[in-house]
């Protein structure tokens, strides 16, 4: 169901059009209404045809339209949310990453990441521990000497990003028909 000013209605593109997002919105299939592909919500919350100009108006001069579905920050910039909840694109720096993700965050060309020995979990850099590695990639995970998570002895990283017992069949699945387990 989608909440309208006068109550709830069964979720559909038509009921989403009756929300503040307007005619260019659709039901997201689960929780509510979103702008249709090629549209973004403007400052007043109405879906408008997306363009880099609109993205710049909404998020600053370092924002652009990705050509498909959303506004993104240009390379070297990062999204920073103000205390008022407004997201702006700013030149990325270690300082802005530390503010967003904690004292062990660093800025890279791809955005905020964590220094060695730390892992990004729920937007914050946390120390890489055996428990974290096992939670992320499976019970056979270990912490490598550089503070990263890897699969332990006789295990390989499977196609789902989890450690699996090493075998010819597992290698074939991950690497293709000429792969063999050693």
């Amino acid at each position: 169901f989608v909440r309208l000013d006068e109550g709830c209605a069964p979720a559909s593109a038509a009921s989403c059009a009756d929300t503040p997002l307007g005619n260019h919105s659709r039901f997201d299939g689960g929780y509510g209404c979103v702008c249709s592909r090629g549209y973004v919500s403007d400052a007043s919350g109405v879906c408008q045809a997306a363009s880099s100009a609109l993205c710049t108006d909404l998020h600053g001069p370092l924002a652009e339209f990705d050509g498909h579905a959303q506004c993104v920050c240009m390379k070297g910039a990062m999204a920073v949310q103000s205390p008022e909840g407004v997201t702006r694109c700013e030149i990325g720096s270690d300082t802005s990453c530390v503010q967003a993700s904690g004292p062990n965050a660093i800025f890279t060309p791809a955005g905020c990441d964590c220094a060695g020995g730390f892992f990004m979990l729920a937007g914050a850099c946390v120390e890489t521990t055996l428990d974290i590695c096992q939670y992320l990639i499976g019970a056979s995970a270990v912490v490598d000497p550089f503070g990263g998570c890897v699969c332990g002895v006789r295990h390989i990283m499977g196609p789902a990003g989890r450690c699996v017992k090493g075998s010819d069949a597992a290698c074939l699945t991950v690497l293709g028909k000429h792969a063999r387990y050693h």
Side-chain angles (χ1 to χ4, degrees), residues 13-64:
S15 61
C16 286
D18 291 335
T19 69
L21 289 173
N23 290 332
H24 300 291
S25 62
R26 63 177 174 77
F27 181 60
D28 69 2
Y31 296 103
C33 301
V34 296
C35 291
S36 298
R37 188 173 179 90
Y39 291 83
V40 295
S41 177
D42 67 12
S44 62
V46 177
C47 296
Q48 300 290 336
S51 68
S52 286
L54 178 59
C55 291
T56 297
D57 289 345
L58 294 171
H59 305 292
L62 298 175
E64 63 186 353

Side-chain angles (χ1 to χ4, degrees), residues 74-78 91-94 96-97 105-115 120:
M74 294 176 182
K75 187 174 182 176
M78 61 182 283
I91 293 174
S93 68
D94 285 345
S96 52
C97 287
I106 57 172
F107 182 74
T108 70
C112 293
D113 202 349
C114 298
M120 188 73 72

Side-chain angles (χ1 to χ4, degrees), residues 29-177:
Y31 296 103
C33 301
V34 296
C35 291
S36 298
R37 188 173 179 90
Y39 291 83
V40 295
S41 177
D42 67 12
S44 62
V46 177
C47 296
Q48 300 290 336
S51 68
S52 286
L54 178 59
C55 291
T56 297
D57 289 345
L58 294 171
H59 305 292
L62 298 175
E64 63 186 353
F65 179 57
D66 71 355
H68 301 287
Q70 62 188 346
C71 296
V72 296
C73 295
M74 294 176 182
K75 187 174 182 176
M78 61 182 283
V80 177
Q81 192 165 17
S82 72
E84 297 81 29
V86 176
T87 303
R88 306 276 300 165
C89 293
E90 297 179 2
I91 293 174
S93 68
D94 285 345
T95 301
S96 52
C97 287
V98 165
Q99 289 172 344
S101 302
N104 297 298
I106 57 172
F107 182 74
T108 70
C112 293
D113 202 349
C114 298
F118 293 85
F119 192 85
M120 188 73 72
L121 188 64
C125 291
V126 295
E127 187 173 1
T128 304
T129 64
L130 182 59
D131 287 340
I132 295 258
C133 288
Q134 290 178 341
Y135 171 77
L136 294 171
I137 63 174
S140 62
V142 296
V143 179
D144 72 17
F146 305 103
C149 299
V150 296
C151 296
V153 176
R154 292 187 287 284
H155 289 80
I156 64 170
M157 185 65 69
R162 307 270 303 163
C163 296
V164 296
K165 187 161 180 60
S167 67
D168 283 346
C171 287
L172 289 171
T173 302
V174 175
L175 300 172
K177 66 181 181 178

